[in-house]
Amino acid sequence: MGALENKVALITGGNSGIGLATAKLFKAEGAHVIITGRNAETLASAQSVLGEAAIVVQADVANLDDLDQLFATIEQRHGRLDVIFANAGVASPYPLAQITEAQFDNLFDINTKGTFFTVQKALRLLRPGASIVLNASIAQYTGVPGLSAYGASKAAVRALGRLFAAELAVREIRVNVVTPGPIATPIWNRAAPGSLDPNIEAQLIARVPLGRMGQPEEIAQAVLFLASPASSFTTGAEILVDGGVVDLPAAAGSRARP
Ligand SMILES: NC(=O)c1ccc[n+]([C@@H]2O[C@H](COP(=O)([O-])OP(=O)(O)OC[C@H]3O[C@@H](n4cnc5c(N)ncnc54)[C@H](OP(=O)(O)O)[C@@H]3O)[C@@H](O)[C@H]2O)c1
């Protein structure tokens, strides 16, 4: 029996990267999977990968009408929701001196407001025992220049994990946060399609004690743990899946040394 046998699980941003890897793992573990995203093409290819039983909904997490429609669809098809992975996000770097109000708002609308209202609007479908996992980022901790707005939008997500958990404990709903380091997904080349710039990749890897980018499947495994009863006494917590970037800064680059 799978770790999520017969559970109804929503993954926002399930048509790419970490979200798609998680949707595949959840399906393999017995869940009924619902994914969202905005891009019709990648939604269609995710549908063919996940199979016809998966529910694929085109929905912008920053648009509250889209969220209402999404949860109405889930209610109609399943009548309940057991797991949410609030994963949809964008990550553009903007120097403090140049970022515009529209760029700032876009980051917070998707990463922070989108996460907030995804959870709020799902509440009526969640039952005792449900699990919510939010996707943050080590950008909230690492002080990389150019990531102030993105890092702040994700620091807010980490805070929401704690505060939602406090409010939902009485309903026996757990809320936890997964915090990825640099993971090899399309997010790194969304601004300039193509493969990840080797210079950027080398700079990222130089900060990782384990000496490589992470894979989306490695985040999915942590999300599965938090989503499943295996973590039944864990709430308000954060799991770093970052190859040691945040906790072992002095070990960065050690794999390159003789
Ligand atoms: N990769 C990393 O190194 C890394 C590190 C730390 C944290 N993260 C976080 O991990 C999450 C997933 O990112 P990823 O690396 O897997 O990148 P990705 O492949 O670019 O996936 C991002 C996903 O979010 C969806 N999305 C973006 N804006 C959306 C919106 N307004 N409404 C609905 N869906 C939306 C995208 O779908 P559409 O394209 O269809 O909109 C896509 O499915 C993000 O929250 C990101 O901040 C990633």
Side-chain angles (χ1 to χ4, degrees), residues 15-16 18 38-39 60-61 87 135 150 154 183 185 190:
N15 49 340
S16 180
I18 293 168
R38 296 170 300 179
N39 182 311
D60 180 344
V61 289
N87 161 75
N135 197 347
Y150 174 68
K154 291 295 193 174
I183 308 301
T185 74
R190 283 196 185 274

Side-chain angles (χ1 to χ4, degrees), residues 12-20 36-40 42-43 58-63 66 85-91 106 109-111 115 135-139 150 154 178-188 190 204 213-214 216 219:
T12 65
N15 49 340
S16 180
I18 293 168
L20 181 57
T36 70
R38 296 170 300 179
N39 182 311
T42 48
L43 285 167
Q58 190 170 31
D60 180 344
V61 289
N63 180 320
D66 281 10
F85 181 33
N87 161 75
V90 286
N106 187 54
D109 278 353
I110 296 173
N111 295 349
T115 298
N135 197 347
S137 166
I138 60 165
Y150 174 68
K154 291 295 193 174
V178 65
T179 294
I183 308 301
T185 74
I187 209 165
W188 295 100
R190 283 196 185 274
L204 291 169
M213 301 280 286
I219 305 301

